[in-house]
Amino acid sequence: MTKRLALAAIAVMLPAGAFAPLAAQTAQTAPAAEPEILNNANPDSFQVYGLPGGAKPTPIKDAKVQFGKAIRIDTPGSGNVWSVGVNSPLQLGVKKGDKLLLAFYARVEKPADGATTATIASAQIQLAAAPYTRLFGEGVTIGPEWKLYKVTGHADRDYAKGELAAALHINTARQTLDIGAMAVLNFGQKP
């Protein structure tokens, strides 16, 4: 999928009027007139870590979610909330003050015993390597239906390509979560 097609596909994820007409931005140094996708939004590309016994997420097909596919993850619920997570490294750098949007689809396939929802402890932009410091993020509660979740913030300094990642900390209970497309968009120097 080309960058231009990926941007058009991500536009479908966001509500009407979320940003101006779409076109791929070619100059990294110019302020973004239109948002630029900073990561690979395809669920097949996500890095999932911390699953017991080296288990891997299960790819699933579901016409009800963007791109028609997602990954299914069974979390153990034991350990820290960040001990199991989903990462998507940013493939482009950002400038201090850039407004970033993390948008992702999620749903709970099988909640913890007695629950009807699940919690993602933090949907965030963080350093891609130790100490994995969070730039911004927040927890979200997800239900059994696909829904688009969004978290926004600003870069506190310049970051080089590969220095940041989108991250979901998901080990909040013994549960099964489905994670669909996840994109980080850069709106440039906007308030």
Side-chain angles (χ1 to χ4, degrees):
M1 178 179 290
T2 67
K3 188 84 162 178
R4 185 177 196 90
L5 289 175
L7 185 55
I10 297 302
V12 176
M13 293 173 58
L14 301 172
F19 50 84
L22 301 171
Q25 181 178 340
T26 56
Q28 171 73 20
T29 58
E34 296 146 359
E36 180 174 41
I37 298 176
L38 302 178
N39 69 313
N40 184 341
N42 185 334
D44 296 336
S45 73
F46 300 160
Q47 301 167 351
V48 178
Y49 65 88
L51 294 175
K56 302 288 184 197
T58 304
I60 62 167
K61 296 199 179 294
D62 188 335
K64 295 179 183 174
V65 68
Q66 184 72 29
F67 302 127
K69 59 183 172 180
I71 54 174
R72 180 163 288 159
I73 305 165
D74 295 313
T75 61
S78 57
N80 296 317
V81 295
W82 62 86
S83 64
V84 177
V86 179
N87 285 343
S88 181
L90 302 193
Q91 299 168 342
L92 297 172
V94 298
K95 300 288 183 196
K96 180 178 181 175
D98 281 356
K99 181 177 182 181
L100 306 177
L101 168 73
L102 167 58
F104 65 97
Y105 279 96
R107 72 182 199 99
V108 58
E109 167 64 18
K110 181 182 176 192
D113 288 342
T116 58
T117 61
T119 301
I120 293 176
S122 188
Q124 64 187 42
I125 300 297
Q126 67 180 33
L127 293 179
Y132 305 103
T133 305
R134 179 172 94 166
L135 271 65
F136 64 86
E138 61 187 55
V140 295
T141 301
I142 61 174
E145 301 299 323
W146 286 110
K147 182 178 172 186
L148 177 65
Y149 298 90
K150 297 172 278 194
V151 179
T152 62
H154 290 84
D156 61 341
R157 64 173 176 86
D158 290 357
Y159 290 91
K161 171 186 174 178
E163 201 173 352
L164 296 175
L168 305 177
H169 296 163
I170 60 174
N171 194 33
T172 56
R174 185 180 191 96
Q175 61 200 355
T176 303
L177 304 178
D178 291 343
I179 306 295
M182 176 168 59
V184 179
L185 294 109
N186 186 346
F187 287 86
Q189 302 291 310
K190 299 199 178 196

